[in-house]
């Protein structure tokens, strides 16, 4: 099993580094930074990653649905049967995925991904709308 974060620039690297600070140095969590130099060939980066991780289940999290990084990965969904693609890379999502995979529950990969996305969405909060008069015990 591999989780790969890939983004425009170094966002993926930052998310992975932050996740590893929180959940520990998880060996199955990796990143690829796209477009960090002019010589970068995204399709080559993807093919290399797939070749290095042949026959493994791979969850790829990209930064932006419809963005070029996500679109490159979309081309491989039909040919790579163990590839799962999520658009909307975030730290809460990666932490959810890592923790669920580490639990080695009996859930299938689709359920793990779906519940991780659902829980990650709950972390989005417009803090100005919160009632600041709550006591710490109520949090």
């Amino acid at each position: 099993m591999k989780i790969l974060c890939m983004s425009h620039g170094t966002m993926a690297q930052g998310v992975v580094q932050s996740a590893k600070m929180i959940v520990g140095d998880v060996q199955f969590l990796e990143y690829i930074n796209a477009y960090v130099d002019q010589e970068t060939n995204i399709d080559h980066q993807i093919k290399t990653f797939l070749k290095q991780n042949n026959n493994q289940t791979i969850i790829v999290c990209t930064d932006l649905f419809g963005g070029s990084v996500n679109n490159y990965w979309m081309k491989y969904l039909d040919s790579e049967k163990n590839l799962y693609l999520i658009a909307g890379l975030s730290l809460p999502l990666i932490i959810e995925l890592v923790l669920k995979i580490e639990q080695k529950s009996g859930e299938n990969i689709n359920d793990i991904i779906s519940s991780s996305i659902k829980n990650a969405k709950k972390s989005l909060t417009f803090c100005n709308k919160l009632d600041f008069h709550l006591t710490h015990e109520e949090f």
Side-chain angles (χ1 to χ4, degrees), residues 110-124:
N110 290 319
D111 292 339
I112 288 171
I113 292 170
S114 294
S115 65
S116 294
I117 290 171
K118 181 180 175 184
N119 289 334
K121 285 180 180 180
K122 291 178 185 176
S123 72
L124 292 170

Side-chain angles (χ1 to χ4, degrees), residues 1-3 28 59 95-105 109 112 116:
M1 172 77 68
K2 289 281 184 171
I3 299 174
F28 60 86
I59 301 172
I95 290 171
E96 285 283 334
L97 286 170
V98 167
L99 293 177
K100 286 188 179 300
I101 288 167
E102 282 187 324
Q103 290 173 357
K104 296 182 174 130
S105 70
I109 192 70
I112 288 171
S116 294

Side-chain angles (χ1 to χ4, degrees), residues 22 39 45 102:
I22 295 167
E39 291 82 41
Q45 288 177 305
E102 282 187 324

